[in-house]
Amino acid sequence: MGTKIETVTKSRTQLSRMENGAESIKEGNFLSRMALNDNKAGMEGLDRDKINKIIMDTSKGSRFYESELKREQQVNQRIEKMMLQKAQITEQQLKKAQTQVDKMVSELEKTCDLSRVIVHVDMDAFYAAVEMRDCPELKERPMAVGSMSMLSTSNYHARKYGVRAAMPGFIAKKLCPDLVIVPPNFNKYRAVSDEIREIFSDYDPHFQPMSLDEAYLDFTAHLEQRQSWPESSRTHRYRSQSLATDEKQTRLHQEAEVTDLSPVLFEDSPTSSPSLPGSGGSTGGAFEVFGTSVEEAVREMRFRIEQKTTLTASAGIAPNTMLAKVCSDKNKPNGQFRLLSTRGAVMDFIQDLPVRKICGIGKVNEKMLKALGITTCSHLQQQMALLSLLFSETSWHYFMQISLGLGSTHIPRHEERKSMSTERTFKELSKPEEQFSLCRKLCEDLAEDLKKEGLKGKTVTLKLKNVNFEVKTRAQTLPYPVATAEDVFAVAKDLLKMEIENESPQPLRLRLMGVRISAFISVDDKTPMQKSILGFLQPGKVDCGRSSQKIHQNLQKNPLSNPPVQASQPLGHLEVQNSQKPKEISLGRRPTEEEPQQSFFQRAHAKRLQLMAANSSRQDEGCRDESSMVNLALSKEDVEPSTQPRGDDCADLDFSENKSASPVQPQASTSSCRTQTEALTCPVCFKQVRTADLNVFNRHIDSCLSEAAGKPNRVSGAEFDLETEHQKSKTVHKQSREVEELPVNGEELSRSVPQEDSPKNNSVPKVLLSEHEQKPVTLQGHQSGPVLICPVCYLTQETDDLTIFNRHVDLCLNQEVLHELRGQTTLSIKPSVGKNSKDSGLHLQRHASKSKNKRTDTPSFPPSKKPKSLGVCNTIDKFFR
DNA sequence: ATACATACC
DNA sequence: TACTGGTATGTAT
């Protein structure tokens, strides 16, 4: 193990030299990411090398393998950097660090609390055990729960072959051809989980579940009470054997009742020592009396779990969570381990404990530490000074706590969730329409989940993984929280669109997509929310609502693990952010007094352009010309904040996209293309503005927008005439079609020019988006009949009647336009595409509750009134960030 | 605030 | 054929 560094360095060199470096690197250490993770229970004494060879042989050459190779390199580089840093550390520095560390150690030691009894319970091979219980034939066989693609758990028999959780099934099959793979049944696991949690709560009503099969409990209070409990309260009977395998529900029900009664029933039982099964014989089941000690209490709990579920659990008992967790693994399966609550016992226990066993130290940290010669906790302790110089503050503080055997001594009450997401892996998805459609689906799923918990979040994050397993996330934070599929999708699709457009070479080939929402507002934040808006309106002030609150919470939460760092840093961070804000704003258009603030849409687009501009300047080959709308439309100066002194704007950036769909030659250089356009189509009134000057054009749009915003029913909460709106949008739509010289593009508007209607477009070099957005796509698959994806809403439409489909698209389009004009309001589409759809085809619906919410929960958006107090009216960003 | 990486189950 | 999905948090910019 001492030659690790050398090996690491060598591997990297070899890698950079050869494409398929796999063969040349022989064994073990290389690709530690992929190698068998044998530090879990049931994996001792395996033929590691043989198993790893099979794993490697099976994976070699796959995209996944290549991707892992790459990541491995990155880690190796990180390690190299670290080693370089280490080499530059002087004795002096080290000494100084050591005194710092010593000081801190003695302070930390003072905080050590050994008075609590923390228990970590963990079901043994949970999913697999449930399946085995319910299908006894599986008991004698190696089996795993999951699929050919991925396993969640394996039973102990399978583990002997190296088959374990997080291993793909097809590799597991190579390791163990007889392996039985059972698809997961989460509802069942959840039901069992409920059962065990019921038991947990008897010992600690505030227990913290970590997953379906795992929890931390604070036994301290229970043990105090337990000392005075009569034996009857510590007596539990065995489940009757005959009911072991069938009629679970009935049995469980009965069991629960009997268990509850048992203390009374057996109060007078003459059992001082645990009775064996059968000793209670005649009354129909044995029982067992448990003592008052910790061990007995935990054993009792495990016993009850087993009786109730026919599944076994393991447990760890220790003075804090960190240790309890390690302990629960010690005698797995079906065992428990108690670490005595004395300083000596803890330190002894810690000494030779591999760092990898500690929750929070994973593959990467293990490897980095190993590079420093640190594999056990005692090494950690010895090297603290060095670690304090090489790792971030949070990291080395954490290391230090570990090295002292410290951890949480209380079970934190379950915190509110911070994010919610949904993601999906699929074959390969390369068609933009399908990608958008999927994106919408994900947003719908997410919205459904959000609804269940009544949450609204401000940050939407799109996650993409391409077929090479490269992961990307793109996020956008809104000034107001959203929860509906429409609102989330409005953001996500923009983020997605951006990635689709920017991909080179085309197309974007996805294997996974996910949507996440975060930055929730919570019930108790609603009032602060109001305040924070006021806070925004006072320049120079930090968001007074949430952030400071959070920081405060953090401070109180764990004074041990995150001392001043958390307190000072985020605050400073916020201030900096705040003061930097104007920089971003320079991109945005300065609204005039009367005009409405920019829609999110506009801002998002401006941002996108900014990013694109940054992008194109990076890849100066201009290689994206054929695919990028931006390059066709804009010179870099148009979006570069530094070269754009005036309050120039979003709107023109936004709509400059129009030109991308216009007959611009693909070879056009970024600067030349601009002159080719002499007229621009206003996205509001849809008239052409004969100018190449974006400022002039912008002024025009400004006035249009103010006019649109001036319409009384746009601002008031009053019901408006749907029919009128509908008609109007129809008209608008029609107009947009008539103006053919310059197909409207600005975002959704681009879709207002279906291909059939604009023959010119056919001669235009296809820009990806205009292409796919104008053409309905036929999906084969699940449906029997043809399915079309609406290029506007991305909902699949089960029809092959193009007339009907077109009507849907038209109506969608109208909705989009309206939506945009009124600033993300309240209309939702109810697409009706079936044969029975009326002429109207679609009904614009006003969601009363939703619109109410919009106005009350998010008073700011759409802004009912503008903050007049601010002399300089910048973009909306300024107010809300 | 955003992107990416690490970690855990 | 085939290498997850959900959440939190750390690190870096």
Side-chain angles (χ1 to χ4, degrees):
Chain A
M1 293 298 158
T3 60
K4 279 296 119 75
I5 314 306
E6 203 186 280
T7 322
V8 164
T9 316
K10 200 166 139 204
S11 319
R12 203 183 136 271
T13 328
Q14 288 175 340
L15 251 181
S16 50
R17 213 174 27 231
M18 53 193 68
E19 260 280 276
N20 62 346
E23 282 87 354
S24 63
I25 288 106
K26 279 144 244 168
E27 83 273 65
N29 175 32
F30 191 70
L31 266 199
S32 60
R33 314 183 54 85
M34 296 203 64
L36 177 72
N37 198 342
D38 61 356
N39 81 348
K40 286 285 178 237
M43 311 288 297
E44 300 84 11
L46 303 180
D47 189 347
R48 246 190 88 127
D49 289 348
K50 192 179 157 195
I51 290 168
N52 280 333
K53 185 170 186 328
I54 295 175
I55 294 176
M56 292 302 173
D57 289 350
T58 311
S59 319
K60 207 180 298 170
S62 67
R63 292 179 191 272
F64 178 79
Y65 181 81
E66 296 301 319
S67 154
E68 289 299 286
L69 224 56
K70 219 179 189 172
R71 294 186 185 190
E72 184 92 6
Q73 282 182 77
Q74 284 171 0
V75 172
N76 288 342
Q77 278 173 24
R78 249 177 92 180
I79 291 175
E80 258 186 74
K81 243 188 238 168
M82 180 183 70
M83 297 311 282
L84 281 178
Q85 262 189 278
K86 186 198 169 191
Q88 303 194 335
I89 293 173
T90 64
E91 277 297 320
Q92 274 247 320
Q93 287 174 306
L94 207 59
K95 227 173 189 171
K96 196 175 153 201
Q98 188 61 57
T99 55
Q100 292 274 337
V101 164
D102 290 343
K103 212 165 79 185
M104 195 158 222
V105 165
S106 60
E107 263 174 50
L108 269 183
E109 272 171 343
K110 272 185 258 169
T111 72
C112 181
D113 177 4
L114 295 171
S115 69
R116 309 252 86 191
V117 181
I118 308 295
V119 175
H120 180 252
V121 209
D122 191 348
M123 299 297 290
D124 303 320
F126 187 48
Y127 297 171
V130 172
E131 298 302 335
M132 284 160 72
R133 177 193 73 177
D134 297 348
C135 180
E137 297 90 82
L138 293 173
K139 276 182 185 155
E140 309 307 318
R141 309 196 53 184
M143 62 84 66
V145 175
S147 70
M148 221 42 170
S149 301
M150 186 51 59
L151 305 179
S152 332
T153 339
S154 56
N155 68 3
Y156 279 77
H157 195 1
R159 292 184 196 189
K160 283 186 270 184
Y161 297 84
V163 173
R164 52 155 300 141
M167 178 181 276
F170 69 93
I171 290 181
K173 277 276 196 185
K174 288 259 161 73
L175 291 172
C176 172
D178 289 335
L179 182 74
V180 181
I181 297 178
V182 179
N185 188 344
F186 287 103
N187 288 333
K188 203 152 72 174
Y189 312 145
R190 260 189 292 274
V192 179
S193 187
D194 288 343
E195 294 183 56
I196 64 174
R197 287 179 187 185
E198 218 172 283
I199 295 175
F200 292 161
S201 59
D202 283 347
Y203 298 88
D204 176 8
H206 308 301
F207 75 93
Q208 191 182 33
M210 300 304 290
S211 62
L212 288 183
D213 79 316
E214 205 184 304
Y216 287 103
L217 293 80
D218 187 339
F219 261 57
T220 319
H222 169 80
L223 286 168
E224 265 171 44
Q225 296 166 23
R226 191 183 179 85
Q227 300 314 308
S228 54
W229 279 16
E231 233 178 43
S232 62
S233 304
R234 296 181 269 111
T235 304
H236 296 271
R237 57 170 273 179
Y238 283 83
R239 163 193 66 247
S240 61
Q241 300 291 329
S242 57
L243 293 169
T245 52
D246 45 15
E247 296 181 319
K248 296 274 155 1
Q249 294 308 323
T250 326
R251 173 184 59 74
L252 289 169
H253 190 61
Q254 290 167 350
E255 178 71 17
E257 284 176 9
V258 172
T259 308
D260 286 343
L261 293 172
S262 61
V264 181
L265 282 175
F266 298 110
E267 192 168 7
D268 296 321
S269 299
T271 6
S272 53
S273 61
S275 63
L276 295 168
S279 66
S282 57
T283 46
F287 51 84
E288 183 156 348
V289 180
F290 294 87
T292 55
S293 67
V294 210
E295 282 98 334
E296 282 292 287
V298 171
R299 211 167 59 77
E300 176 189 281
M301 178 179 68
R302 292 200 301 117
F303 174 85
R304 290 177 61 193
I305 289 171
E306 186 175 356
Q307 297 314 306
K308 193 171 187 176
T309 67
T310 331
L311 302 169
T312 62
S314 297
I317 307 159
N320 64 52
T321 55
M322 180 245 125
L323 294 168
K325 168 97 184 165
V326 179
C327 289
S328 71
D329 201 50
K330 199 92 183 162
N331 283 329
K332 210 165 223 314
N334 198 12
Q336 63 186 59
F337 180 88
R338 179 187 178 196
L339 174 57
L340 288 177
S341 292
T342 65
R343 188 109 200 101
V346 170
M347 291 321 278
D348 282 353
F349 183 75
I350 284 293
Q351 284 307 297
D352 299 319
L353 188 66
V355 289
R356 184 64 174 84
K357 291 276 185 189
I358 278 103
C359 185
I361 298 186
K363 282 177 182 191
V364 172
N365 276 316
E366 177 191 30
K367 195 169 174 177
M368 297 217 290
L369 290 172
K370 196 188 259 182
L372 299 168
I374 297 168
T375 56
T376 69
C377 292
S378 59
H379 296 154
L380 267 189
Q381 203 176 6
Q382 291 154 18
Q383 303 292 326
M384 267 326 298
L386 178 63
L387 293 173
S388 76
L389 294 172
L390 293 177
F391 286 80
S392 72
E393 198 168 18
T394 31
S395 290
W396 73 262
H397 281 186
Y398 180 58
F399 292 150
M400 180 140 79
Q401 287 184 63
I402 292 166
S403 75
L404 297 171
L406 299 172
S408 297
T409 51
H410 68 283
I411 307 299
R413 82 157 209 292
H414 202 56
E415 303 219 7
E416 354 169 341
R417 74 154 72 240
K418 297 185 176 62
S419 72
M420 187 183 274
S421 67
T422 177
E423 69 185 52
R424 214 155 295 162
T425 295
F426 33 79
K427 193 103 192 268
E428 170 178 338
L429 214 51
S430 304
K431 293 191 189 130
E433 316 76 39
E434 293 173 358
Q435 292 167 345
F436 281 113
S437 183
L438 173 69
C439 181
R440 175 179 268 280
K441 175 84 182 96
L442 290 168
C443 291
E444 284 165 1
D445 292 352
L446 185 59
E448 209 175 295
D449 292 344
L450 281 171
K451 201 174 166 189
K452 281 180 205 151
E453 299 191 30
L455 290 169
K456 292 175 160 200
K458 289 194 288 185
T459 303
V460 174
T461 306
L462 178 75
K463 177 178 171 182
L464 303 173
K465 192 194 285 180
N466 68 16
V467 291
N468 293 321
F469 291 86
E470 293 157 344
V471 179
K472 255 185 203 165
T473 58
R474 292 291 177 265
Q476 174 79 54
T477 299
L478 306 171
Y480 54 96
V482 292
T484 65
E486 292 74 32
D487 289 346
V488 177
F489 182 59
V491 182
K493 75 156 194 284
D494 282 345
L495 296 169
L496 174 59
K497 188 170 160 198
M498 160 100 158
E499 294 311 308
I500 291 175
E501 289 170 11
N502 266 355
E503 182 71 4
S504 71
Q506 291 278 347
L508 180 59
R509 304 173 63 196
L510 295 179
R511 89 179 320 273
L512 171 146
M513 189 187 297
V515 181
R516 170 188 314 276
I517 189 155
S518 52
F520 295 123
I521 49 131
S522 60
V523 217
D524 45 313
D525 260 2
K526 278 185 180 161
T527 337
M529 189 51 194
Q530 299 279 0
K531 263 198 233 156
S532 73
I533 282 163
L534 292 177
F536 285 123
L537 298 179
Q538 296 165 6
K541 277 218 169 164
V542 182
D543 170 5
C544 62
R546 195 149 174 77
S547 346
S548 47
Q549 207 172 295
K550 273 276 135 135
I551 288 160
H552 192 60
Q553 281 171 12
N554 281 345
L555 267 177
Q556 293 188 324
K557 197 168 56 190
N558 199 352
L560 197 76
S561 62
N562 31 23
V565 215
Q566 300 267 355
S568 57
Q569 229 176 17
L571 269 176
H573 192 57
L574 276 177
E575 278 160 13
V576 168
Q577 285 290 35
N578 228 23
S579 60
Q580 282 176 344
K581 250 345 14 122
K583 190 172 69 187
E584 264 179 56
I585 285 159
S586 62
L587 227 202
R589 181 164 52 95
R590 251 175 55 187
T592 62
E593 265 316 311
E594 313 77 32
E595 91 179 43
Q597 288 167 346
Q598 290 169 340
S599 69
F600 160 70
F601 194 87
Q602 291 168 306
R603 285 178 294 110
H605 191 62
K607 182 168 181 179
R608 196 178 314 132
L609 290 171
Q610 186 185 23
L611 288 169
M612 284 171 162
N615 244 356
S616 58
S617 57
R618 230 182 294 131
Q619 13 176 304
D620 42 5
E621 322 136 64
C623 61
R624 293 175 305 113
D625 275 2
E626 74 283 2
S627 60
S628 161
M629 307 165 84
V630 196
N631 277 356
L632 296 172
L634 282 178
S635 67
K636 194 180 148 214
E637 297 79 54
D638 283 326
V639 285
E640 191 66 53
S642 53
T643 49
Q644 197 151 17
R646 5 140 250 168
D648 203 276
D649 125 47
C650 214
D652 41 61
L653 298 177
D654 230 348
F655 306 125
S656 58
E657 246 189 19
N658 295 348
K659 285 168 281 181
S660 62
S662 67
V664 174
Q665 300 312 305
Q667 32 72 12
S669 79
T670 51
S671 46
S672 68
C673 61
R674 187 175 172 171
T675 55
Q676 299 189 8
T677 308
E678 292 175 11
L680 300 165
T681 303
C682 171
V684 182
C685 70
F686 296 98
K687 285 178 189 154
Q688 281 187 53
V689 183
R690 295 236 154 243
T691 180
D693 186 333
L694 293 179
N695 281 321
V696 172
F697 182 56
N698 191 32
R699 242 170 280 138
H700 168 88
I701 295 168
D702 282 357
S703 64
C704 273
L705 281 175
S706 338
E707 209 179 307
K711 302 278 192 295
N713 58 14
R714 296 252 153 83
V715 202
S716 74
E719 289 291 323
F720 54 87
D721 184 348
L722 285 179
E723 202 46 49
T724 312
E725 289 296 326
H726 193 177
Q727 299 290 349
K728 186 173 3 179
S729 57
K730 276 234 155 187
T731 320
V732 162
H733 179 47
K734 215 159 133 200
Q735 279 175 358
S736 78
R737 288 175 174 226
E738 282 158 2
V739 183
E740 286 190 348
E741 306 95 298
L742 281 176
V744 177
N745 197 333
E747 298 291 337
E748 278 72 20
L749 301 179
S750 68
R751 299 174 192 129
S752 65
V753 190
Q755 196 151 25
E756 319 85 79
D757 291 356
S758 57
K760 279 204 169 176
N761 266 3
N762 292 332
S763 59
V764 171
K766 284 297 185 326
V767 173
L768 177 76
L769 263 175
S770 21
E771 182 178 341
H772 83 259
E773 285 181 353
Q774 289 165 18
K775 223 181 335 186
V777 183
T778 312
L779 269 187
Q780 328 284 17
H782 345 289
Q783 260 79 14
S784 46
V787 173
L788 301 173
I789 297 177
C790 168
V792 182
C793 72
Y794 297 108
L795 286 169
T796 51
Q797 306 297 324
E798 289 178 54
T799 181
D800 57 349
D801 186 332
L802 280 183
T803 316
I804 290 172
F805 182 76
N806 277 339
R807 193 154 55 217
H808 166 86
V809 175
D810 282 356
L811 291 162
C812 262
L813 200 55
N814 289 342
Q815 193 266 350
E816 286 279 320
V817 173
L818 277 181
H819 193 255
E820 180 58 23
L821 283 181
R822 34 183 73 250
Q824 311 275 312
T825 358
T826 55
L827 298 174
S828 83
I829 291 183
K830 193 171 174 187
S832 50
V833 198
K835 302 276 175 202
N836 47 0
S837 61
K838 304 248 169 35
D839 272 356
S840 62
L842 149 155
H843 317 283
L844 295 176
Q845 285 192 329
R846 190 180 177 87
H847 287 194
S849 58
K850 195 173 151 192
S851 61
K852 209 163 68 189
N853 281 345
K854 286 267 171 182
R855 271 178 245 285
T856 53
D857 295 354
T858 68
S860 49
F861 208 90
S864 46
K865 42 187 135 139
K866 256 184 11 170
K868 297 267 160 70
S869 53
L870 286 178
V872 183
C873 202
N874 288 307
T875 70
I876 211 168
D877 296 60
K878 175 142 192 179
F879 304 132
F880 294 98
R881 295 235 187 140

